Amino acid sequence: MTNKTYLDLIEKATFARVNAYAPYSGYKVGAALLCSDGTVFKGANIENSAYSETVCAERVAFFHAINKGGDRRDFKAIAIVGGKGNKITDFAYPCGSCRQVMSEFCSDKFKIVLYDGKEVKVTTLGKLLPDNFGPKNLGK
Ligand code: THU
């Protein structure tokens, strides 16, 4: 994947972040999920007054893509941006639950692209969730 692909995906995640519903934490997250056919699914976090019902940006993007079905389930990379208020302030690494959801649909090579407003970091699911419990454990 080229640097331009990563930068385009970061831009899409930044646009997605605008739609975050985060009145409680004020921390808005945007995600853009790239499929092998070039389709990009976006997501932003959706908080709830019953806090535990909050859904992260990454899972919104994944569930949207899974519902579309077909080849759009072949995922290449996800860009994630986050920060308080209107600014991207820090590297918004995916939480443990999101890493686990990713591992259901993606290999260790799946790219995770992070941006703190200054620098781009590219890592992989294998690095962020080594030795995962996954479909293989259940013979899938
Ligand atoms: N959040 C995400 O959207 N993705 C993550 O991986 C971590 C956290 C959201 C959930 C909540 O709305 C806010 O960030 C603060 O935890």
Side-chain angles (χ1 to χ4, degrees):
M1 246 172 278
T2 63
N3 278 347
K4 186 178 179 315
T5 308
Y6 293 140
L7 293 176
D8 282 352
L9 213 53
I10 289 166
E11 190 179 43
K12 291 190 167 95
T14 306
F15 282 128
R17 185 175 171 273
V18 172
N19 293 324
Y21 175 74
Y24 304 106
S25 72
Y27 194 90
K28 296 180 180 178
V29 184
L33 175 60
L34 176 66
C35 309
S36 58
D37 72 352
T39 311
V40 175
F41 289 93
K42 288 186 266 180
N45 51 331
I46 305 171
E47 297 189 344
N48 193 281
S49 50
Y51 295 161
S52 60
E53 308 313 326
T54 291
V55 188
C56 293
E58 299 91 314
R59 273 177 283 162
V60 171
F62 265 90
F63 295 157
H64 187 188
I66 298 302
N67 269 280
K68 281 277 176 181
D71 291 345
R72 287 162 183 165
R73 291 181 180 174
D74 181 22
F75 303 117
K76 292 283 184 211
I78 190 168
I80 310 163
V81 295
K84 279 250 178 194
N86 291 326
K87 276 198 167 169
I88 295 166
T89 50
D90 48 73
F91 291 113
Y93 280 90
C95 76
S97 300
C98 288
R99 294 178 196 197
Q100 182 61 29
V101 167
M102 290 173 191
S103 80
E104 182 68 26
F105 302 105
C106 306
S107 76
D108 280 356
K109 289 182 186 142
F110 179 67
K111 297 269 192 301
I112 296 170
V113 182
L114 304 158
Y115 177 61
D116 69 352
K118 294 184 206 108
E119 236 184 283
V120 177
K121 270 190 192 174
V122 182
T123 184
T124 63
L125 183 58
K127 281 188 190 146
L128 296 189
L129 190 69
D131 303 325
N132 67 305
F133 184 90
K136 64 185 179 311
N137 293 90
L138 300 174
K140 298 286 173 192

